[in-house]
Amino acid sequence: MNNLDAFIGLLLFLAGAPAFVLQFSSNTARDILLKRQPFAGALTLYGPFTLGVIVFIVLNSLPPSTISESILLYVLIALVLWVCFRTLSYARPTAIIHSELQRALKYIKLKRDFPQIHVNNIVDIGSESNNSEEQRQTLIALQKIAQAYLQCPTYKGNQFEDFIKDLQNILTIQDQEANAENYQIVISIMQSIVEHPQTHPGHSYADQSLAYKTLSALGQQALHFINPQVPILCMNALSTHNTPLSTAASQSLYEIAAAALKQDTPLIAMNALQAIGSAFYAAAPNLPSQEITFDYLALLAAFWQHGSSGQFIARRDLDELRSYPGLNLQQQIELAIEHQREKANFTISDQIEAMWLAYHNKNQSTMLR
């Protein structure tokens, strides 16, 4: 062959590409390519070189001709281009994320099952990276997988426990403020999980309960952000499309609001108070859920602890509760105190009791005047 040196050079490039990919890839990427998916990894890394060698041997065994040399040249050039645009891209984490996403979506479509292996690969890439953009791409990929599987008939509402924990772990980074957008992606995923049982009655509420707890945790983590958008988004996800408000959502709203008051961010706490208060009065003329009543009183007690302005808000709402038809406020206060004690929430029970004593004594002294 007249172009033998050129052909050998192209084959050497194809042979060296896998070494380049493995050298510049992360430990997780190498593990994915070589251990977790050995066949797919070998095909990705060594497939072009193997195909090039086969074509070279076959065409080289034929009688020399310009046509066979041209075919071999075009094939090798095509393989080199494939390696440049596909194989070498595996040195970048985002390329692996995209590849695993496509495999995961295909797996859901064909197997109608959760693609745990591919999700694990994506999560490991995102957890290993300190790059905000790579983490964002990781979360977007996981969001697409969650959306696809939520529409799958085999999803019954109780298969996302590990998935939800993985999402939280990815957000455990040093510079959280700069990654508020990543929080918003996870909040959107949680909201999709929360809303699923409402459109699929009869399914388990296990994942929904975990999503509520996660929204509470994310809202509390984001309270130190300069922009209050993230905790407010968490509260919106907890209260939107929930009529009546579920007890788990009410509990999570209380937890965010109580933490907000401790960090002196009353605006966020007021949002939660409005959501729980609206849910309370939405039950009229019937008595609302006891759990929501207890959360409402616990949040008012937290406001009471927050100085004179907080006491003004709490007193205003307590005055309204006294006139609620069929509601014995003192009895509900006593039940709320006992409820918190049974759950070992002694600080909360003490706060409710202190609020009631101060409020009741103030009213008694006013009546004696």
Side-chain angles (χ1 to χ4, degrees), residues 269-311:
M270 287 296 295
N271 275 271
L273 182 64
Q274 181 180 5
I276 296 176
S278 298
F280 182 93
Y281 287 102
N286 300 317
L287 289 176
S289 162
Q290 271 203 325
E291 289 289 342
I292 292 179
T293 302
F294 296 157
D295 289 335
Y296 193 12
L297 293 173
L299 185 51
L300 291 179
F303 269 92
W304 192 276
Q305 298 292 319
H306 198 65
S308 58
S309 295
Q311 291 175 13

XYZ file of all heavy atoms in Angstrom, residues 269-311:
321
model
N -40.905 33.030 57.902
C -41.818 32.440 58.884
C -43.250 32.903 58.656
O -44.202 32.129 58.837
C -41.362 32.796 60.294
N -43.428 34.146 58.257
C -44.780 34.663 57.988
C -45.423 33.931 56.817
O -46.637 33.702 56.812
C -44.716 36.162 57.703
C -44.450 37.019 58.932
S -45.776 36.918 60.158
C -47.144 37.652 59.250
N -44.627 33.551 55.822
C -45.165 32.781 54.694
C -45.715 31.440 55.167
O -46.791 31.009 54.738
C -44.064 32.559 53.648
C -43.930 33.721 52.682
O -44.583 33.768 51.661
N -43.077 34.672 53.032
N -44.965 30.776 56.049
C -45.419 29.492 56.577
C -46.648 29.672 57.455
O -47.582 28.861 57.401
C -44.293 28.824 57.368
N -46.660 30.720 58.264
C -47.816 30.978 59.123
C -49.072 31.207 58.298
O -50.160 30.720 58.644
C -47.536 32.195 60.013
C -48.637 32.569 61.008
C -48.822 31.456 62.030
C -48.309 33.891 61.693
N -48.927 31.920 57.204
C -50.077 32.168 56.331
C -50.581 30.863 55.717
O -51.794 30.636 55.629
C -49.704 33.154 55.236
C -50.860 33.493 54.296
C -50.463 34.478 53.209
O -49.301 34.851 53.090
N -51.416 34.904 52.419
N -49.654 29.991 55.292
C -50.049 28.722 54.670
C -50.773 27.819 55.667
O -51.825 27.249 55.363
C -48.818 28.010 54.116
N -50.214 27.701 56.889
C -50.840 26.839 57.901
C -52.155 27.448 58.369
O -53.161 26.741 58.556
C -49.882 26.615 59.085
C -48.643 25.849 58.615
C -50.583 25.849 60.205
C -47.583 25.650 59.692
N -52.181 28.779 58.574
C -53.411 29.443 58.990
C -54.519 29.300 57.956
O -55.677 29.040 58.297
N -54.162 29.428 56.686
C -55.154 29.277 55.613
C -55.711 27.862 55.606
O -56.913 27.651 55.408
C -54.529 29.609 54.260
O -54.101 30.956 54.218
N -54.827 26.862 55.819
C -55.277 25.468 55.863
C -56.196 25.234 57.060
O -57.177 24.482 56.969
C -54.071 24.541 55.939
N -55.882 25.894 58.173
C -56.720 25.757 59.367
C -58.131 26.264 59.099
O -59.119 25.568 59.358
C -56.079 26.530 60.526
C -56.824 26.439 61.818
C -56.508 25.474 62.753
C -57.863 27.321 62.107
C -57.210 25.385 63.950
C -58.572 27.238 63.297
C -58.237 26.261 64.223
N -58.242 27.448 58.554
C -59.563 28.045 58.349
C -60.277 27.477 57.127
O -61.488 27.668 56.988
C -59.437 29.565 58.238
C -59.142 30.219 59.569
C -57.851 30.637 59.881
C -60.140 30.374 60.523
C -57.566 31.217 61.103
C -59.870 30.954 61.750
C -58.572 31.370 62.036
O -58.306 31.933 63.263
N -59.552 26.776 56.272
C -60.193 26.151 55.104
C -61.139 25.031 55.518
O -62.025 24.637 54.751
C -59.140 25.610 54.144
N -60.974 24.520 56.753
C -61.831 23.429 57.227
C -63.205 23.918 57.670
O -64.115 23.102 57.855
C -61.152 22.696 58.383
N -63.356 25.226 57.898
C -64.627 25.777 58.390
C -65.771 25.353 57.475
O -65.616 25.293 56.253
C -64.525 27.294 58.467
N -66.949 25.041 58.045
C -67.326 25.176 59.469
C -66.916 23.990 60.333
O -67.252 23.957 61.521
C -68.848 25.282 59.392
C -69.205 24.421 58.230
C -68.089 24.607 57.224
N -66.209 23.003 59.780
C -65.767 21.854 60.576
C -64.481 22.189 61.321
O -63.774 23.146 60.977
C -65.537 20.641 59.687
C -66.800 20.231 58.945
O -67.887 20.213 59.523
N -66.654 19.906 57.667
N -64.170 21.396 62.317
C -62.903 21.564 63.016
C -61.780 21.024 62.131
O -61.938 19.983 61.494
C -62.922 20.809 64.344
C -63.823 21.394 65.434
C -63.810 20.484 66.660
C -63.365 22.795 65.820
N -60.646 21.717 62.086
C -59.534 21.256 61.239
C -58.837 20.050 61.844
O -59.129 19.637 62.973
C -58.603 22.474 61.213
C -58.884 23.182 62.501
C -60.337 22.969 62.786
N -57.897 19.494 61.090
C -57.098 18.373 61.567
C -56.354 18.754 62.845
O -55.818 19.858 62.967
C -56.096 17.957 60.486
O -55.057 17.180 61.033
N -56.316 17.820 63.801
C -55.614 18.108 65.051
C -54.135 18.366 64.811
O -53.542 19.227 65.454
C -55.792 16.944 66.035
C -57.026 17.067 66.918
C -56.898 16.260 68.189
O -56.302 15.184 68.200
N -57.462 16.767 69.272
N -53.525 17.607 63.896
C -52.101 17.794 63.618
C -51.828 19.202 63.109
O -50.852 19.833 63.512
C -51.631 16.754 62.603
C -51.553 15.332 63.124
C -50.408 15.130 64.097
O -49.488 15.962 64.111
O -50.433 14.137 64.838
N -52.686 19.693 62.224
C -52.500 21.054 61.716
C -52.732 22.065 62.837
O -52.016 23.077 62.937
C -53.439 21.314 60.521
C -52.998 20.449 59.325
C -53.449 22.791 60.142
C -53.852 20.603 58.103
N -53.700 21.797 63.702
C -53.943 22.679 64.843
C -52.717 22.730 65.749
O -52.302 23.806 66.196
C -55.160 22.187 65.649
O -56.297 22.128 64.803
C -55.446 23.119 66.823
N -52.124 21.571 66.008
C -50.936 21.523 66.863
C -49.768 22.279 66.228
O -49.026 22.992 66.912
C -50.549 20.073 67.139
C -51.571 19.291 67.919
C -51.615 17.905 67.843
C -52.501 19.936 68.717
C -52.564 17.179 68.565
C -53.458 19.226 69.448
C -53.487 17.851 69.365
N -49.584 22.102 64.914
C -48.504 22.827 64.225
C -48.761 24.330 64.253
O -47.820 25.130 64.404
C -48.384 22.337 62.777
C -47.823 20.933 62.668
O -47.101 20.517 63.587
O -48.119 20.248 61.668
N -50.015 24.712 64.098
C -50.391 26.123 64.125
C -50.054 26.735 65.483
O -49.422 27.790 65.584
C -51.884 26.241 63.829
C -52.373 27.645 63.525
C -51.496 28.699 63.273
C -53.749 27.926 63.495
C -51.953 29.972 62.983
C -54.221 29.197 63.208
C -53.316 30.210 62.957
O -53.776 31.470 62.678
N -50.444 26.051 66.550
C -50.177 26.561 67.896
C -48.678 26.557 68.201
O -48.166 27.477 68.846
C -50.930 25.715 68.921
C -52.461 25.824 68.861
C -53.112 24.813 69.808
C -52.924 27.244 69.195
N -47.967 25.546 67.737
C -46.517 25.494 67.952
C -45.822 26.651 67.244
O -44.881 27.260 67.793
C -45.959 24.164 67.459
N -46.299 26.988 66.044
C -45.695 28.097 65.310
C -46.026 29.430 65.980
O -45.167 30.325 66.056
C -46.177 28.090 63.859
C -45.542 29.134 62.936
C -44.022 29.097 63.021
C -45.991 28.917 61.494
N -47.239 29.574 66.483
C -47.589 30.796 67.218
C -46.718 30.937 68.466
O -46.296 32.048 68.820
C -49.064 30.778 67.598
C -50.063 30.907 66.443
C -51.499 30.843 66.969
C -49.844 32.197 65.661
N -46.423 29.808 69.122
C -45.548 29.842 70.294
C -44.136 30.274 69.905
O -43.463 30.983 70.656
C -45.523 28.473 70.964
N -43.680 29.831 68.728
C -42.356 30.251 68.254
C -42.345 31.757 67.980
O -41.363 32.447 68.282
C -41.982 29.471 66.999
N -43.435 32.269 67.415
C -43.545 33.716 67.224
C -43.548 34.438 68.572
O -42.954 35.509 68.713
C -44.823 34.050 66.444
C -44.645 34.099 64.959
C -44.862 32.979 64.185
C -44.251 35.272 64.325
C -44.697 33.009 62.804
C -44.082 35.320 62.946
C -44.309 34.187 62.180
N -44.230 33.862 69.544
C -44.314 34.484 70.864
C -42.931 34.665 71.489
O -42.663 35.645 72.182
C -45.194 33.633 71.778
C -45.580 34.324 73.054
C -44.845 34.393 74.216
C -46.775 35.051 73.298
N -45.506 35.120 75.166
C -46.708 35.537 74.635
C -47.904 35.337 72.539
C -47.728 36.300 75.210
C -48.910 36.091 73.119
C -48.820 36.565 74.426
N -42.044 33.711 71.204
C -40.682 33.779 71.726
C -39.823 34.814 71.003
O -38.713 35.108 71.435
C -40.013 32.403 71.606
C -40.686 31.294 72.398
C -40.562 31.487 73.886
O -39.509 31.886 74.394
N -41.637 31.202 74.615
N -40.352 35.357 69.907
C -39.546 36.232 69.049
C -39.805 37.717 69.339
O -39.932 38.535 68.434
C -39.849 35.931 67.582
C -38.794 36.446 66.635
N -37.506 35.981 66.628
C -38.847 37.385 65.656
C -36.816 36.605 65.700
N -37.595 37.472 65.098
N -39.930 38.070 70.583
C -40.051 39.478 70.954
C -41.465 40.016 70.849
O -42.424 39.309 70.547
N -41.595 41.301 71.071
C -42.911 41.949 71.141
C -43.652 41.902 69.807
O -44.877 41.730 69.777
C -42.763 43.395 71.610
O -41.908 44.116 70.735
N -42.933 42.039 68.699
C -43.601 41.985 67.391
C -44.150 40.590 67.124
O -45.264 40.434 66.611
C -42.619 42.381 66.284
O -42.219 43.726 66.426
N -43.369 39.577 67.484
C -43.849 38.211 67.335
C -45.045 37.940 68.231
O -45.991 37.240 67.833
N -45.034 38.505 69.437
C -46.160 38.341 70.357
C -47.415 39.020 69.817
O -48.526 38.527 70.019
C -45.793 38.879 71.733
C -44.755 38.041 72.450
C -44.304 38.648 73.761
O -44.937 39.590 74.270
N -43.212 38.136 74.319
